[in-house]
Amino acid sequence: NAGVMQNPRHLVRRRGQEARLRCSPMKGHSHVYWYRQLPEEGLKFMVYLQKENIIDESGMPKERFSAEFPKEGPSILRIQQVVRGDSAAYFCASSPNGLAINEQFFGPGTRLTVL
Amino acid sequence: GQQVMQIPQYQHVQEGEDFTTYCNSSTTLSNIQWYKQRPGGHPVFLIQLVKSGEVKKQKRLTFQFGEAKKNSSLHITATQTTDVGTYFCAGINYGGSQGNLIFGKGTKLSVKP
């Protein structure tokens, strides 16, 4: 059973470009979470999605950031017009359901560098 | 909003010494999880604590949840070089969605052989 998959593992963008980060949850998991981690910092919750629904986006910046989890295919975190401050590691996690009792399984992350 | 604070931020120990990291929440937690992240890696789930005053052990690791469910600790006995990494606590937010974890900033452990 493959774990959570994220691609690309490393992404370099110039200021003003768009970044698309993909996350495929573990088989059988329908709940996806996105986190951002700055160097030497903890993980900051961004958004929680189920298939075709955004459940909680309280951690998402109001502008330039969006997320989706379509019926088919991976979850996508999209950052438009990237700035240097967007440089970070972005982790996706999945769980079989949204109950707080469940552990979250993390993917390897996408390291975004904005030049 | 709810905050989870973790201390110390860094800890350097000699191999064989003990290590403890502490986690405090500004509000009562429903449960708390602990994760370990190796350098360059991703967080890996260690354990979850649910009950007030709960204590769980995994080999050399001992996890405690405070009586008021607002603090927690992780204690490692006789550290080994394989324990190197950053240890995060994560509390479940009562007021947010059921799956919304609030992470502390972590304690980075280095072990000198």
Side-chain angles (χ1 to χ4, degrees), chain A residues 9 33 35 37 40-45 48 55-56 58 91 98-109 111, chain B residues 9-10 30-31 33 35 37 40-45 48 50 88 92 96-101 103-106 108:
Chain A
R9 296 289 302 275
Y33 314 81
Y35 295 88
Q37 185 176 38
E40 305 297 316
E41 294 279 324
L43 294 103
K44 186 185 174 199
F45 167 79
Y48 163 34
I55 306 303
D56 182 350
S58 57
F91 289 96
L99 294 176
I101 202 76
N102 290 119
E103 69 177 274
Q104 294 184 7
F105 295 83
F106 282 80
R111 271 78 178 171
Chain B
Q9 189 174 357
Y10 301 96
S30 58
N31 30 326
Q33 298 178 356
Y35 290 79
Q37 185 177 22
H42 60 277
V44 174
F45 177 83
Q48 177 164 256
V50 179
F88 294 98
I92 306 298
S97 73
Q98 289 180 316
N100 186 0
L101 281 171
F103 277 82
K105 289 193 174 184
K108 190 173 183 178

Side-chain angles (χ1 to χ4, degrees), chain A residues 21-42:
Chain A
L21 288 61
R22 295 175 186 77
C23 170
S24 297
M26 284 183 70
K27 188 176 180 180
H29 287 192
S30 58
H31 296 247
V32 166
Y33 314 81
W34 285 93
Y35 295 88
R36 176 164 63 179
Q37 185 176 38
L38 296 170
E40 305 297 316
E41 294 279 324

Side-chain angles (χ1 to χ4, degrees), chain A residues 18 34 51-52 63 81 83-84 102:
Chain A
E18 179 179 287
W34 285 93
K51 284 284 188 181
E52 300 184 277
E63 297 177 347
Q81 298 176 314
V83 300
R84 289 215 174 110
N102 290 119

Side-chain angles (χ1 to χ4, degrees), chain B residues 77-94:
Chain B
T77 304
T79 54
Q80 300 175 359
T81 55
T82 52
D83 295 326
V84 164
T86 302
Y87 293 84
F88 294 98
C89 62
I92 306 298
N93 182 1
Y94 267 123

